[in-house]
Amino acid sequence: MTSSQLFEQIRKKKSYLCVGLDTDITKIPKHLLSSDDPVFEFNKQIIDATHAYCVAYKPNIAFYEALGPKGWESLQKTLNYIPKDIFTIADAKRGDIGNTSALYARAFFEQMNFDSITVAPYMGEDSVKPFLQFQNKWVILLAHTSNSGSADFQLIESKVTGRKLYEEVLLKSQEWGTKDQIMYVVGATQSEKFKEIRDIAPEHFFLVPGYGVQGGDLQTVSKYGMNRTCGLLVNAARSIIYASNDHDFASAAKKESISVQQQMEQYLDLYLK
Amino acid sequence: MTSSQLFEQIRKKKSYLCVGLDTDITKIPKHLLSSDDPVFEFNKQIIDATHAYCVAYKPNIAFYEALGPKGWESLQKTLNYIPKDIFTIADAKRGDIGNTSALYARAFFEQMNFDSITVAPYMGEDSVKPFLQFQNKWVILLAHTSNSGSADFQLIESKVTGRKLYEEVLLKSQEWGTKDQIMYVVGATQSEKFKEIRDIAPEHFFLVPGYGVQGGDLQTVSKYGMNRTCGLLVNAARSIIYASNDHDFASAAKKESISVQQQMEQYLDLYLK
């Protein structure tokens, strides 16, 4: 999917919601456990209930890895079930030396057909570039994440440039690929920094986790983060998929998605440049 | 495995060699492709040929992920086949927000029974600590890696402390767990920095990739990196497992392992504090 196709979907659905399929087999409604593939059954019903209101799905790969080979099968079935016009994100935060990153890219872009993958920047250019060799596929690079540990290293200021580590990541990585290949993870909990971050990367899409359970503020993120092509994919996982833990889990997820989509519709009207 | 048990193995085998099981199905000898599980068959023969000369095996998880669910099965069989007194490293470079890191830990420490896992530090404390909640399991944190991109961010000097990013990682992480839980990845290609790095983390084990094909120097690494409990696990993958691409691949791997072990025996005599 290209960035114009993604923006087209955002305009069509009046939404920049990404639903996080962080499907924990110990948390899904108990009545599903008797199915052959409870994780896929859960995901299928969530997708049926929410696909009209979101433009992306983001399975966090850890949830599937924790279940061994069976988990990877559930992941593959989920990916195949997602409608083709919805952007898919392998939230894997992978990264390794060149030849190894190339294999991770093979796993997620060829073995499975994800549109994009989250990548950790610590090992630098040659750990990221192999993911950029695929047509119409995206790297979503960690920049300023949503968790408390984001303060440990991401805020270290360079003696030479005065810039923080995450700013160096945002700048340096723009030498590695275009705004039609690279997105950045910027946590919703970092909302007050969105204005500065937008200045450093005016045209790139941001994947924004931390809304919902982690407490980020959607209006501030939208006001300061939106650009001419929206430029935001705001992720909500637990607040949607676990809105109910009962037989009505899918309709509860639908209700929550509609609520978020309606807020987003307002913010698109207000803030789309 | 505790650090004293690991040191005991190093003394017994007179070796601190870690063999990297980076098994690429497109690179193994063609005659193996007719087996039910070519990757496992390759690993099995490599393990049979080399286990007397090494104290650790390190499968890089990307190589197995690239093969989908079948790859995970090969990985599991490989792990089960490794002798119990050999240290196992899941080279996965994982890391995510707390609840998600906990699931990665579940995948590699419970679903599969690895002794240790490599972890990326970018997201800070709460992304690493969940891996530290397991008895007798280890986190191997990326510090100064072996690849050229290590210069992009790891050498950024802090305006406040003057320390480089990788030094901040080495120091800060020592607040999160003990030297009997945390090791560090320090590339063999960074050999001239081993002395300084050893000063910052005198008692910790270092996992040292980049020897062999990547060109790191074993003697310098050993001279400056060794401590009272050896403190080094030097990884060699391609130079051992692809020493031959023919029917004699296992005996070629054995020969190469013996050669490395013999050098290490000398360095243990020379440099063990």
Side-chain angles (χ1 to χ4, degrees), chain A residues 64-79:
Chain A
Y64 301 83
E65 256 180 53
L67 303 175
K70 183 98 206 269
W72 287 88
E73 288 171 14
S74 306
L75 178 63
Q76 180 73 75
K77 283 154 73 179
T78 299
L79 188 59

Side-chain angles (χ1 to χ4, degrees), chain B residues 97-108:
Chain B
I97 66 171
N99 70 321
T100 307
S101 275
L103 280 164
Y104 278 131
R106 193 194 294 177
F108 292 97

Side-chain angles (χ1 to χ4, degrees), chain A residues 60 63 65-66 72 93-94 96 100 103-104 108 111 122-123 125-126 143 147 149 152 154 157-159, chain B residues 60 63 65-66 72 93-94 96 100 103-104 108 111 122-123 125-126 143 147 149 152 154 157 159:
Chain A
N60 187 301
F63 290 80
E65 256 180 53
W72 287 88
K93 297 182 176 76
R94 297 294 193 259
D96 208 319
T100 308
L103 281 163
Y104 278 131
F108 291 98
Q111 174 72 30
Y122 191 78
M123 294 177 72
E125 178 170 1
D126 56 320
N147 59 315
D152 286 339
Q154 296 168 25
E157 289 178 3
S158 162
K159 193 163 84 172
Chain B
N60 186 299
F63 289 80
E65 258 180 53
W72 287 88
K93 298 183 176 74
R94 298 293 194 258
D96 208 319
T100 307
L103 280 164
Y104 278 131
F108 292 97
Q111 175 73 29
Y122 191 78
M123 294 177 70
E125 179 171 359
D126 56 320
N147 60 314
D152 287 338
Q154 295 167 26
E157 290 176 2
K159 192 163 83 170

Side-chain angles (χ1 to χ4, degrees), chain B residues 10-11 13-19 53-56 188 206-209 211-212 217-219 221-223 226 230 232-236 239-240 256-272:
Chain B
I10 290 171
R11 283 196 307 184
K13 288 175 168 171
K14 300 181 170 47
S15 167
Y16 39 102
L17 173 63
C18 174
V19 174
Y53 313 104
C54 68
V55 295
F206 296 162
L207 170 64
V208 184
Y211 168 70
D217 171 40
L218 181 60
Q219 181 161 19
V221 161
S222 305
K223 179 173 179 180
M226 212 176 279
C230 180
L232 297 172
L233 291 173
V234 173
N235 185 71
S239 55
I240 289 180
E256 187 58 30
S257 304
I258 290 174
S259 165
V260 177
Q261 180 274 320
Q262 285 174 341
Q263 290 177 65
M264 289 180 165
E265 183 165 353
Q266 288 187 1
Y267 299 146
L268 281 164
D269 279 338
L270 275 171
Y271 303 130
L272 193 61

Side-chain angles (χ1 to χ4, degrees), chain A residues 94-121:
Chain A
R94 297 294 193 259
D96 208 319
I97 67 172
N99 70 320
T100 308
S101 275
L103 281 163
Y104 278 131
R106 193 195 292 178
F108 291 98
F109 292 159
E110 292 182 349
Q111 174 72 30
M112 288 180 288
N113 191 17
F114 278 95
D115 290 309
S116 65
I117 183 172
T118 51
V119 176

Side-chain angles (χ1 to χ4, degrees), chain B residues 134-265:
Chain B
F134 294 74
Q135 280 269 42
N136 286 341
K137 299 290 190 185
W138 295 76
V139 160
I140 308 181
L141 203 58
L142 302 183
H144 199 23
T145 59
S146 57
N147 60 314
S148 59
S150 62
D152 287 338
F153 306 120
Q154 295 167 26
L155 300 181
I156 290 174
E157 290 176 2
S158 162
K159 192 163 83 170
V160 170
T161 65
R163 288 190 288 258
K164 302 181 187 73
L165 173 61
Y166 77 81
E167 295 176 316
E168 297 287 5
V169 170
L170 284 163
L171 276 161
K172 191 103 179 96
S173 59
Q174 290 182 54
E175 298 170 24
W176 306 339
T178 70
K179 62 168 182 65
D180 295 300
Q181 290 182 286
I182 299 178
M183 299 185 182
Y184 297 106
V185 175
V186 184
T189 45
Q190 313 296 358
S191 51
E192 71 294 348
K193 293 179 193 149
F194 260 81
K195 194 167 189 305
E196 312 167 11
I197 294 175
R198 198 29 106 194
D199 287 341
I200 303 175
E203 311 237 345
H204 288 73
F205 262 89
F206 296 162
L207 170 64
V208 184
Y211 168 70
V213 170
Q214 292 184 60
D217 171 40
L218 181 60
Q219 181 161 19
T220 314
V221 161
S222 305
K223 179 173 179 180
Y224 293 114
M226 212 176 279
N227 64 14
R228 296 175 311 154
T229 55
C230 180
L232 297 172
L233 291 173
V234 173
N235 185 71
R238 290 170 282 186
S239 55
I240 289 180
I241 70 176
Y242 302 135
S244 158
N245 195 23
D246 215 327
H247 283 76
D248 67 342
F249 75 96
S251 54
K254 176 175 184 165
K255 215 194 240 177
E256 187 58 30
S257 304
I258 290 174
S259 165
V260 177
Q261 180 274 320
Q262 285 174 341
Q263 290 177 65
M264 289 180 165
E265 183 165 353

Side-chain angles (χ1 to χ4, degrees), chain A residues 184-197:
Chain A
Y184 297 105
V185 175
V186 184
T189 44
Q190 314 296 356
S191 51
E192 72 294 348
K193 293 179 191 149
F194 261 81
K195 192 167 191 304
E196 312 167 10
I197 293 175

Side-chain angles (χ1 to χ4, degrees), chain A residues 145-163:
Chain A
T145 58
S146 56
N147 59 315
S148 58
S150 62
D152 286 339
F153 305 119
Q154 296 168 25
L155 299 181
I156 290 173
E157 289 178 3
S158 162
K159 193 163 84 172
V160 169
T161 66
R163 287 192 287 258

